[in-house]
Amino acid sequence: MATGRRRGLAPVVACGTLLATLVASGCTSGGANGEGAAGGAGKAPKDNLVLGLEADIPGWDPGKILPGSVAWASEAVYDTIFNCDAFGNVKPNIAESYDFADDNTKLTLHLRSRMKFSDGAPVDGPAVKAALEYQVNAPGGRSFLPGVKVSSPDASTVVVTTPKPKSYLTTFLCLGSGAIASPKYLTSGHLDRAPVGSGPYVYDKAASTPGSVYVFTKNPGNWNADHYPYKKITLKVLTDRTARINALKSGQISGAITDATTLNQLKSSGLKPLVQHGQWAGLLIEDRKGKIVPALGDVRVRRAINMVFDKAAIAQKLYQGQAEPTAQIFRKNSAAWIPDLRDPYPYDLSAARKLMADAGYADGFSVQIPYLANFGLDAAMPVVIQGLKELNIKAEQVTLSGPNALLDMLSGKYPIIFWPLGNHGDSRLSIDGTVLPTSVWNTQKITDPTVDRLWGTVLTSQGEKSATAQKQLNQHLIDQAWFAPWVYMNSFFGYDPKKIQLDRSTDLNQLAPKLSDFR
């Protein structure tokens, strides 16, 4: 019997000297100002990629990296153990190859040679070990890598051991959990200062204004430097959507997160939208045990909530046709997604009211729902409140603001949350982040024996066996109405095609293109 599975990873494909591992469209040429992609013979690198951020970055602590466009800063300065494509297929980065034991508890990383941090220290086994141990004990690491042990038997090898099987550990190491910073920097006590990593760019502290503008210059020593065509990256914090669009239209920035309401403005200004298909929008029914609102502990009430929202109308009117009705939360074509699923909760007010009456809640109840400003929820919240009103459910919108607003929303005190969630291409990550009692979005840390049983199979298997268990877990969530999904919503990244070539997003979350996607 085999004791492990060797993964050589997809080789780097070179077009001339252009490394194209992560660009799905392959080689590119030409540019906004007659400039070619980096590394092409006779071609000059592009000067400056200026992008807009919809929120400020959380700082430089590699243990607190958030997804989406705010991750661009960390992508610039930190390499990760692996790279991943949009569906979690693992590509080489710091690790060129790996072995994964058959029981999914021991991952052996074979490191790329001669890599260096921006301070000149080697990115070797002891350094990667120290950086991963920091991740294990960091705030995010405690959620994603609990109990993980890391060792380094030699300078080119690191061994990661998990106390329980974790079949998707490789995918985690493509994300923030796999971001590797210099051990000297991590122990400096000054993580608020200029970060030290081995990424494709180096932070230019002198040219930056924290909270407003972040500037990065090319790191020629990065192993994959030729894949990043820009000499400089500038990230401007523009939290107001209108301000972002105006900055795009005026040429102050070349790209930013936008939404369906801005499509006409983009097109009339000669800009283009990159359409991403990774998010779902709807209700997360957090109080499934009825601890705060007893009625929500009854599956009939949760099913009734699913049936009062006209998903087709929501897709057309609220999302202006840029959405598709759905009864499941997992990314289309991911392992957990159920093809040809018939919606068990079609829009039916009479049937929904009967379910409420059968459960003894014909007169409804009251519930508080949190609302965060400047996150594009303005049009959706009235739909939530009006739909629940059809069941005599009195929904009170609680406005949250300030730097701790998101943490407050996730505190567990709100029975129902409306939020558009990014959807991992690797659905094991979506289960980990949304469903499990350790999940950020399972705010009341509710356990379920069926979920536990099926998740156990997912953790200890790969391939078809894992996919089957994930689909069964998805069906259980649907049957128990843990969520009230409305639609798969398109999300948009607006950009200037005269300055940027952007064919697709390889982001695992499909929230924003990765820096490596910009050509």
Side-chain angles (χ1 to χ4, degrees), residues 163-317:
K164 296 180 180 180
K166 206 174 192 76
S167 59
Y168 55 110
L169 178 61
T170 51
T171 314
F172 264 136
L173 296 180
C174 293
L175 303 173
S177 295
I180 302 302
S182 163
K184 183 178 179 181
Y185 168 69
L186 292 174
T187 58
S188 68
H190 299 292
L191 295 187
D192 56 328
R193 299 181 184 174
V196 180
S198 61
Y201 293 89
V202 177
Y203 179 52
D204 187 343
K205 184 178 180 181
S208 302
T209 304
S212 178
V213 179
Y214 299 91
V215 180
F216 307 84
T217 57
K218 188 75 175 283
N219 176 12
N222 177 263
W223 79 271
N224 203 15
D226 285 346
H227 187 71
Y228 295 84
Y230 292 92
K231 295 179 183 177
K232 184 166 71 172
I233 303 285
T234 300
L235 305 180
K236 295 186 176 182
V237 180
L238 298 167
T239 58
D240 181 77
R241 178 181 58 187
T242 301
R244 288 199 302 276
I245 293 299
N246 288 338
L248 262 175
K249 292 164 67 175
S250 65
Q252 296 176 55
I253 61 175
S254 298
I257 296 291
T258 56
D259 59 31
T261 66
T262 64
L263 289 178
N264 290 334
Q265 293 184 64
L266 292 177
K267 293 176 182 177
S268 65
S269 300
L271 304 170
K272 290 183 68 174
L274 175 73
V275 183
Q276 299 171 104
H277 307 283
Q279 292 180 290
W280 69 274
L283 304 183
L284 292 83
I285 306 176
E286 298 291 326
D287 193 19
R288 296 181 289 273
K289 295 294 186 182
K291 294 179 180 179
I292 302 171
V293 178
L296 294 176
D298 193 311
V299 69
R300 293 168 293 185
V301 172
R302 302 196 298 270
R303 289 171 177 170
I305 289 173
N306 271 265
M307 298 177 74
V308 296
F309 296 105
D310 187 340
K311 299 172 186 176
I314 287 171
Q316 289 302 313
K317 295 178 181 178

Side-chain angles (χ1 to χ4, degrees), residues 330-359:
F330 294 101
R331 172 97 66 87
K332 292 182 71 174
N333 299 315
S334 68
W337 182 66
I338 303 172
D340 304 319
L341 175 72
R342 183 175 180 178
D343 190 348
Y345 310 120
Y347 176 58
D348 191 331
L349 290 179
S350 296
R353 289 167 180 157
K354 184 178 185 303
L355 282 172
M356 291 289 287
D358 290 345

Side-chain angles (χ1 to χ4, degrees), residues 7-23:
R7 294 292 185 266
L9 300 177
V12 172
V13 180
C15 305
T17 58
L18 172 63
L19 298 176
T21 306
L22 303 178
V23 172

Side-chain angles (χ1 to χ4, degrees), residues 257-512:
I257 296 291
T258 56
D259 59 31
T261 66
T262 64
L263 289 178
N264 290 334
Q265 293 184 64
L266 292 177
K267 293 176 182 177
S268 65
S269 300
L271 304 170
K272 290 183 68 174
L274 175 73
V275 183
Q276 299 171 104
H277 307 283
Q279 292 180 290
W280 69 274
L283 304 183
L284 292 83
I285 306 176
E286 298 291 326
D287 193 19
R288 296 181 289 273
K289 295 294 186 182
K291 294 179 180 179
I292 302 171
V293 178
L296 294 176
D298 193 311
V299 69
R300 293 168 293 185
V301 172
R302 302 196 298 270
R303 289 171 177 170
I305 289 173
N306 271 265
M307 298 177 74
V308 296
F309 296 105
D310 187 340
K311 299 172 186 176
I314 287 171
Q316 289 302 313
K317 295 178 181 178
L318 180 62
Y319 294 98
Q320 302 182 34
Q322 298 293 333
E324 176 186 347
T326 183
Q328 51 188 322
I329 67 169
F330 294 101
R331 172 97 66 87
K332 292 182 71 174
N333 299 315
S334 68
W337 182 66
I338 303 172
D340 304 319
L341 175 72
R342 183 175 180 178
D343 190 348
Y345 310 120
Y347 176 58
D348 191 331
L349 290 179
S350 296
R353 289 167 180 157
K354 184 178 185 303
L355 282 172
M356 291 289 287
D358 290 345
Y361 294 101
D363 294 332
F365 50 87
S366 297
V367 63
Q368 289 188 326
I369 300 180
Y371 164 80
L372 272 64
N374 299 320
F375 278 85
L377 306 179
D378 300 32
M381 285 304 293
V383 177
V384 174
I385 292 170
Q386 181 58 42
L388 295 177
K389 188 177 180 181
E390 297 287 354
L391 299 178
N392 293 320
I393 299 174
K394 295 173 280 295
E396 175 191 355
Q397 177 179 308
V398 179
T399 300
L400 307 178
S401 60
N404 294 318
L406 185 58
L407 292 177
D408 189 12
M409 184 175 73
L410 297 173
S411 65
K413 64 183 179 183
Y414 296 104
I416 294 176
I417 294 173
F418 174 81
W419 193 258
L421 274 183
N423 223 344
H424 297 289
D426 186 335
S427 48
R428 295 172 296 184
L429 294 182
S430 294
I431 297 169
D432 188 285
T434 310
V435 176
L436 304 182
T438 55
S439 300
V440 171
W441 292 98
N442 183 348
T443 62
Q444 294 192 21
K445 311 307 176 189
I446 290 171
T447 60
D448 180 282
T450 300
V451 168
D452 290 345
R453 174 177 58 81
L454 292 170
W455 184 240
T457 300
V458 173
L459 290 176
T460 56
S461 62
Q462 299 279 0
E464 189 59 36
K465 186 176 181 180
S466 171
T468 298
Q470 290 180 64
K471 287 180 173 62
Q472 291 172 345
L473 194 154
N474 182 10
Q475 186 65 61
H476 177 69
L477 300 180
I478 295 167
D479 293 342
Q480 292 301 309
W482 278 33
F483 307 93
W486 292 354
V487 294
Y488 290 127
M489 57 183 285
N490 293 340
S491 59
F492 303 92
F493 183 85
Y495 69 99
D496 186 342
K498 295 185 177 125
K499 298 179 179 178
I500 295 174
Q501 181 172 332
L502 184 62
D503 299 311
R504 65 188 304 176
S505 169
T506 59
D507 178 29
L508 187 62
N509 303 299
Q510 288 294 285
L511 295 174

